[in-house]
Amino acid sequence: MTSEDKFIDLMKEITAYSETIALINWDLRTKIPKKGANQRSEALGYLAKHVHQLKTSDQMKQLIDQLKTEKTSPIIEKALEECEREYQKYRHIPTEELVEFISLSSQSETAWQEAREKNDFSILQPYLEKLVELNKKFAVYRGYQENKYEGLLNDYEPGLTTELLDQVFGQLKSELIKLVEKVNRSKVNIDQTLLLHHFPKQAQEKFSLAILNKMGYDFDAGRLDETIHPFAIGINPNDVRVTTRFDEEDFRTAIFGTIHEGGHALYEQNIDPDLYQTVLATGASMGIHESQSLFWENFIGRSRSFWQSHFELFKEYAPAPFQNIDFESFYRAINEVKPSLIRIEADELTYSLHIIIRYELEKALIDGDLQVKDLPEAWNQKMEDYLGIKPTNDREGVLQDIHWAAGDFGYFPTYALGYMYAAQLHARIQNQINLDSMICSGDFEPIKAWLTEQIHRHGKMKQPLEMIEQVTGEGLNPNYLINYLTSKYQDIYQL
Ligand code: ZN
């Protein structure tokens, strides 16, 4: 066996374990009987430990060192780079710190739940303080260019710097704040209660399946199931599953949720088969992944042209009270803007402001400019400054998301990055195909083909900024999102 064969074999073994872990994760979040979960979680722990050992093994190190001196294919070259990144990431962390982190974050999640129930941040505070300190150390082990925070950010979004983030978020923030203020002053009244009629689960499911089908989601390589917190998961590129949640009193949860997760799933289903069973058979980054889900959910699913072509189909599945809603009221209602305290309930316009608040706060925590004890007050102040509303308690403030309590810092920016990437791709695709008439005709095949050609098939072969630059001809530019939102809401709110 050559070193290359051994390396390919090692990646196949890692893929096999990762596939098993993904399948167990899907099962834990969808079908598992209540009593089965504990032992299964333990099994998951052993599998994860084994993958970790493979990724940081001496054999891996030897193969990387050996193959770097040889002439290999671009795929092997990129896979080596990726494996080396993972190797460095874990190898430099002292085992006792990693073990401490794993046990601490699980205790912290429990503390977070209790803190939320009792609406008492002080229950979470000591755990969060330790997690911040550990993350500061991890950032140093992983390395960074200018700012320590990049050591964490680059784990999710390789190649991004805080300098670039500060610049694009700064620009986005000031324009969004102005736009939200204009919307608040608008005389246009939107009644979103007209959407809140009972809509039976089975009918919602049928409509969701019809939309997924039209998007080009391959049901021979996936399935749709129900869960509490929806997600899409690539077990392998020929088994990419979507989950959704049905709220019979608000159909938006399932419909827009399914389109969103469907966008993630199309990405994973359309990766180039040459990358299968390598470490590259996944998305380029969390931000690029989110760009795909948001492209489908917002830029298509909440567009006027989408509903022009699908309103009749919607009515075929919807019960009687929906039959008399006129198109314009419906379109406005699904696009209502209302500053709210909870991120996951936020509309298209205010969503990025929720993310920017989290970015500024977590960066300050890692930089040491903000102490954990001062976090709730800092949170509330930013909510008031950016969104004009202030939480009256920490449950609807700093305690709403699990990310920090689970030890995840550097992840939040990827949501807003994905939104900016999506807007930039949206502008680009419009130069190449007549997007609106395509959406109006209900023919999504050319859109899916474009995304596959430009993004999906490349898997993890490219870094996010490299990909955006190649596809759109320029670097990350927040103006596309600002322009898109401005023109959309000028129309809806007659600004
Ligand atoms: Zn998503």
Side-chain angles (χ1 to χ4, degrees), residues 60-76:
M60 177 62 93
K61 174 78 175 134
Q62 280 159 9
L63 288 171
I64 293 170
D65 290 345
Q66 171 65 31
L67 285 167
K68 268 167 63 177
T69 65
E70 293 178 15
K71 174 109 189 81
T72 53
S73 70
I75 292 176
I76 295 294

Side-chain angles (χ1 to χ4, degrees), residues 131-326:
L131 283 169
V132 167
E133 287 315 308
L134 274 173
N135 266 288
K136 282 184 190 173
K137 289 185 187 170
F138 292 172
V140 175
Y141 299 142
R142 285 172 195 167
Y144 53 87
Q145 291 180 23
E146 295 287 326
N147 189 295
K148 203 186 280 178
Y149 179 80
E150 288 162 8
L152 305 171
L153 170 72
N154 289 346
D155 212 19
Y156 306 105
E157 210 59 20
L160 260 283
T161 61
T162 47
E163 192 190 351
L164 181 63
L165 270 192
D166 285 343
Q167 181 215 319
V168 295
F169 280 172
Q171 216 175 322
L172 190 59
K173 179 171 79 178
S174 72
E175 293 303 321
L176 291 185
I177 290 173
K178 280 187 253 172
L179 201 51
V180 172
E181 280 168 359
K182 278 189 199 162
V183 168
N184 284 343
R185 285 197 303 268
S186 162
K187 298 264 180 304
V188 173
N189 252 325
I190 293 181
D191 176 19
Q192 55 111 14
T193 60
L194 61 87
L195 302 173
L196 305 177
H197 299 294
H198 187 80
F199 195 145
K201 186 170 125 179
Q202 285 79 4
Q204 284 193 43
E205 189 175 6
K206 282 184 188 155
F207 183 59
S208 302
L209 288 168
I211 298 295
L212 272 180
N213 216 356
K214 294 194 82 172
M215 286 169 69
Y217 174 76
D218 181 358
F219 280 94
D220 288 333
R223 47 184 290 143
L224 175 68
D225 293 274
E226 216 181 323
T227 187
I228 299 168
H229 301 290
F231 61 96
I233 189 164
I235 291 164
N236 70 46
N238 283 309
D239 183 357
V240 184
R241 305 180 184 196
V242 175
T243 64
T244 197
R245 186 167 73 84
F246 299 103
D247 178 345
E248 293 196 311
E249 307 316 315
D250 188 348
F251 72 89
R252 291 174 294 182
T253 305
I255 302 308
F256 293 112
T258 305
I259 299 176
H260 181 99
E261 301 308 336
H264 280 303
L266 285 183
Y267 193 173
E268 298 276 332
Q269 280 188 338
N270 291 291
I271 288 170
D272 190 333
D274 286 350
L275 303 177
Y276 288 6
Q277 293 182 293
T278 74
V279 290
L280 306 171
T282 186
S285 69
M286 299 311 290
I288 298 288
H289 231 302
E290 198 61 13
S291 78
Q292 296 309 294
S293 53
L294 291 175
F295 185 90
W296 285 97
E297 181 192 352
N298 290 339
F299 294 81
I300 295 182
R302 287 181 211 269
S303 70
R304 189 182 281 279
S305 22
F306 178 83
W307 287 101
Q308 272 161 354
S309 56
H310 291 82
F311 198 40
E312 287 312 309
L313 183 72
F314 170 80
K315 285 184 174 176
E316 278 174 33
Y317 295 101
F322 288 95
Q323 301 304 323
N324 297 324
I325 302 177
D326 73 282

